[in-house]
Amino acid sequence: MDELPIGRRVAYWRARRKMSQQVFADRLGKSKSWVDKVERGVRRLDKFSVLYEIADILQVDVQLLLGKDPERRTDALNCIDQIEVQEIRAALERYDSMSAYFDAAPYPPPLVDMRKAVNHAWLTYQYGRYGMLTRALPKLLRDAQAADAGYGGDQAKEAAHLLGQVYQIASSVLRKLGECELAWLAADRSMAVAQRADDQLLAGIATTRVCNALVAMGRARPALELNVTIANRLAPGGPHDAEPDRLSVYGMLLLQGAMAAARIGDSATVDDLFNGAHEAATLLGGDQNHYWTSFGPTNLELHRAAAAVELGDGGRAVEIHQGIPEPAFNALLPERRAHHLLDIARGYAQIGDVANAGDMLLRGDRLAPSEIRCRPIAHEVMSDVLRRTRGAPPPPIAELAEHMGVGV
């Protein structure tokens, strides 16, 4: 990238942001022809004011467009920057297991240390501390890959299991932060590793990560089909199959299938899958966190509300939200609660209630700031709230918008 002309770098980041030349030109207030000439190097970019405007639209540091290393951000939240993205990408592109096939692997980290590190990473994710997690991910990926390559015998399966979990953590946080292609890569790796770990439930929950990434990339139909296919393989066939961890993974496959169905507007399939998930949640008997799923009756209702938003029925989403028992909701981990409040903010915005939409964003920010300040979808909701608010926004909303870097 450093050796590319500036126009090519603009074209690269425009493509990464899934923008056509016309959309990019419209946002910039230029013609499509102007953009095309810049990207081909026919027209020079020599005004810093234009460069900064381009960087803002593409959501990258202007130094990246100039072919220089961007300065690291020092704000407390620090969602993710392009240096961290490249470090995570480099870690995902390692093939330690293949190198170990030809040569002796380096001494792997102790599995007891890896277990602690992976457990801590899951908690960091479920508490919504995404900046902290993305900074730790490159080393965690390298260590888990080294363990997977270095251990044999009885320890090989555990090492593979730990690596599969790390890939899933990486996929989940990358998807939330808008790095969908990397999220898909990490999730795809997690499925392959889960098979070596010989754990069908790990493979099942890895499937949901793959499907979430597919949905984020606009591939909801194959995501729906894959979720349902694997759910059918794991469906409890009798009392011996109705173990809590199996029910949790099976239930999450159904929930994520329902979300994919909602994305394509298939409300009948949404209802069918939620009915199946309801049966699993009833058998489970309460909200639990097997395989880090947070599956249970309350999480089921959160997904019902989210699906209603995807189907464009914000009123129904708000109705579901208001019917969730407060003690059960407050018992969920912060990521789940803040994610739900973001969904309900979208629901309120759909019915034109921007005051309550803003209030949901504020509540979510108090629970898990990264879930609101770092996610592209939250930025879209905040932009909508600011645009539709009559007069100046209330000070708390204005302050949050400033922290998010969102303007009208």
Side-chain angles (χ1 to χ4, degrees), residues 41-119:
V42 175
R43 187 182 186 103
R44 293 181 61 188
L45 269 179
D46 50 11
K47 288 186 177 180
F48 275 99
S49 60
V50 176
L51 270 174
Y52 277 103
E53 191 173 358
I54 288 173
D56 183 57
I57 292 169
L58 297 178
Q59 297 182 329
V60 298
D61 193 298
V62 73
Q63 299 299 315
L64 282 173
L65 296 180
L66 295 170
K68 301 175 182 178
D69 288 337
E71 294 181 2
R72 288 286 194 139
R73 292 179 306 199
T74 57
D75 57 288
L77 196 58
N78 195 3
C79 302
I80 191 169
D81 62 30
Q82 294 306 317
I83 296 293
E84 289 160 358
V85 170
Q86 295 308 321
E87 287 177 352
I88 293 170
R89 182 188 300 279
L92 286 171
E93 290 173 347
R94 288 165 60 95
Y95 288 88
D96 287 6
S97 58
M98 182 57 71
S99 299
Y101 177 75
F102 292 100
D103 302 296
Y107 187 76
L111 286 179
V112 63
D113 292 344
M114 284 304 308
R115 284 194 294 272
K116 292 177 181 178
V118 172
N119 186 67

Side-chain angles (χ1 to χ4, degrees), residues 172-336:
S172 296
V173 72
L174 287 166
R175 177 181 57 82
K176 280 182 178 284
L177 299 177
E179 295 291 336
C180 300
E181 292 179 1
L182 275 185
W184 179 85
L185 174 61
D188 187 66
R189 290 278 183 85
S190 74
M191 290 185 73
V193 174
Q195 294 174 58
R196 286 198 284 105
D198 193 25
D199 187 333
Q200 288 190 346
L201 299 184
L202 184 67
I205 205 64
T207 300
T208 67
R209 316 293 182 192
V210 169
C211 294
N212 285 341
L214 287 173
V215 169
M217 294 190 294
R219 303 284 295 158
R221 190 167 295 280
L224 167 60
E225 293 170 356
L226 181 55
N227 271 314
V228 172
T229 296
I230 303 304
N232 288 337
R233 302 284 177 85
L234 292 177
H240 64 286
D241 288 335
E243 297 175 352
D245 51 0
R246 188 184 187 94
L247 286 170
S248 297
V249 174
Y250 168 68
M252 281 306 297
L253 283 159
L254 295 179
L255 291 185
Q256 296 308 321
M259 294 305 301
R263 183 63 67 93
I264 58 178
D266 186 349
S267 57
T269 299
V270 170
D271 290 341
D272 286 344
L273 293 174
F274 277 141
N275 288 338
H278 176 75
E279 292 177 8
T282 301
L283 285 172
L284 188 63
D287 298 311
Q288 301 182 32
N289 197 23
H290 299 284
Y291 278 78
W292 304 95
T293 58
S294 293
F295 182 72
T298 307
N299 202 2
L300 168 63
E301 294 306 301
L302 268 55
H303 280 79
R304 285 191 197 274
V309 172
E310 291 296 335
L311 290 167
D313 193 349
R316 174 62 179 153
V318 170
E319 182 182 330
I320 293 169
H321 165 71
Q322 292 173 341
I324 297 173
E326 190 171 345
F329 180 72
N330 290 338
L332 294 176
L333 288 158
E335 180 273 335
R336 283 282 75 220

Side-chain angles (χ1 to χ4, degrees), residues 127-128 329 333-335 337-338 341 362-369:
Y127 275 82
F329 180 72
L333 288 158
E335 180 273 335
R337 285 183 282 158
L341 292 171
L362 291 170
R363 287 181 57 190
D365 184 66
R366 288 192 290 270
L367 276 171

Side-chain angles (χ1 to χ4, degrees), residues 329-397:
F329 180 72
N330 290 338
L332 294 176
L333 288 158
E335 180 273 335
R336 283 282 75 220
R337 285 183 282 158
H339 185 131
H340 171 72
L341 292 171
L342 174 54
D343 286 332
I344 301 306
R346 295 172 63 199
Y348 273 119
Q350 286 178 350
I351 60 176
D353 188 344
V354 293
N356 269 317
D359 185 57
M360 293 298 108
L361 293 176
L362 291 170
R363 287 181 57 190
D365 184 66
R366 288 192 290 270
L367 276 171
S370 294
E371 183 70 19
I372 304 302
R373 303 187 189 189
C374 298
R375 295 193 61 191
I377 185 64
H379 287 215
E380 292 178 17
V381 178
M382 177 58 84
S383 294
D384 191 29
V385 167
L386 293 178
R387 186 172 58 252
R388 296 164 66 184
T389 298
R390 294 182 179 180
I397 291 293

